[in-house]
Amino acid sequence: MLNSKSANESDKAHIASLLKADKLCFNDINNDGVSLFVVDKGDEPIGYFGFEIFNEDALFRSLLVQPEHRGKGYGEQIWQLALSEMQQQGVKNIYLLTNTAADFFGKHAFTVFDRASVPDQIARTSEFAEFCPDDSICMHYKVKTQ
């Protein structure tokens, strides 16, 4: 069974190196409002996820599986942990930008969304405004009420 916990400073350095290696946004992960989580199985780190919340909207920053654990179905489990965490915090809409994972998120009920139509607070994040290229695919997920 996988568990998640808030990332500490040492975890954040490791997460940044993994994001950089995968050519994902890492420059601003220490910004205020960015929540990062370590996902582990026992004491072994399996992966990470992160997001920023703006009232009922969230920017899903990243989902990473450690290289040695890829291809084992952990991505699905990590997504479920991330979704649960955001639901607990009252999120109703999740937005993301991707150049590599549109198929994965499409399988999880994300739909392609007009980047120009995201809420202003999300559009002003450094990920949207500075780091992700204009050709990144913008996607949206409507959180189902429980």
Side-chain angles (χ1 to χ4, degrees):
M1 177 176 191
L2 299 183
N3 300 296
S4 64
K5 63 181 180 186
S6 292
N8 62 35
E9 291 307 312
S10 173
D11 296 326
K12 289 179 182 181
H14 184 65
I15 293 168
S17 70
L18 289 172
L19 289 167
K20 186 175 181 181
D22 282 353
K23 297 180 174 61
L24 298 171
C25 182
F26 68 93
N27 308 62
D28 60 344
I29 65 171
N30 289 311
N31 285 3
D32 287 342
V34 175
S35 298
L36 296 172
F37 295 82
V38 175
V39 177
D40 58 32
K41 186 175 185 179
D43 289 334
E44 183 178 11
I46 301 295
Y48 308 91
F49 66 86
F51 53 78
E52 291 178 73
I53 294 178
F54 305 92
N55 300 313
E56 293 184 343
D57 298 319
L59 171 60
F60 191 62
R61 300 283 312 229
S62 55
L63 182 157
L64 280 170
V65 177
Q66 293 266 112
E68 65 272 19
H69 294 295
R70 292 180 182 166
K72 300 176 183 175
Y74 287 125
E76 164 69 26
Q77 294 174 61
I78 293 171
W79 164 244
Q80 292 303 319
L81 286 169
L83 177 59
S84 177
E85 184 68 37
M86 287 183 280
Q87 284 176 311
Q88 289 174 26
Q89 295 191 40
V91 169
K92 304 271 191 260
N93 294 287
I94 303 169
Y95 301 88
L96 63 80
L97 291 171
T98 185
N99 290 325
T100 60
D103 289 343
F104 174 85
F105 288 107
K107 290 176 187 174
H108 297 287
F110 275 84
T111 57
V112 174
F113 192 81
D114 179 15
R115 183 173 178 157
S117 297
V118 299
D120 286 342
Q121 288 181 307
I122 290 180
R124 287 192 305 263
T125 63
S126 53
E127 182 168 328
F128 259 76
E130 298 173 43
F131 298 121
C132 285
D134 290 340
D135 64 350
S136 297
I137 298 168
C138 182
M139 300 185 85
H140 172 257
Y141 178 90
K142 180 74 174 161
V143 176
K144 295 158 188 66
T145 55
Q146 295 179 345

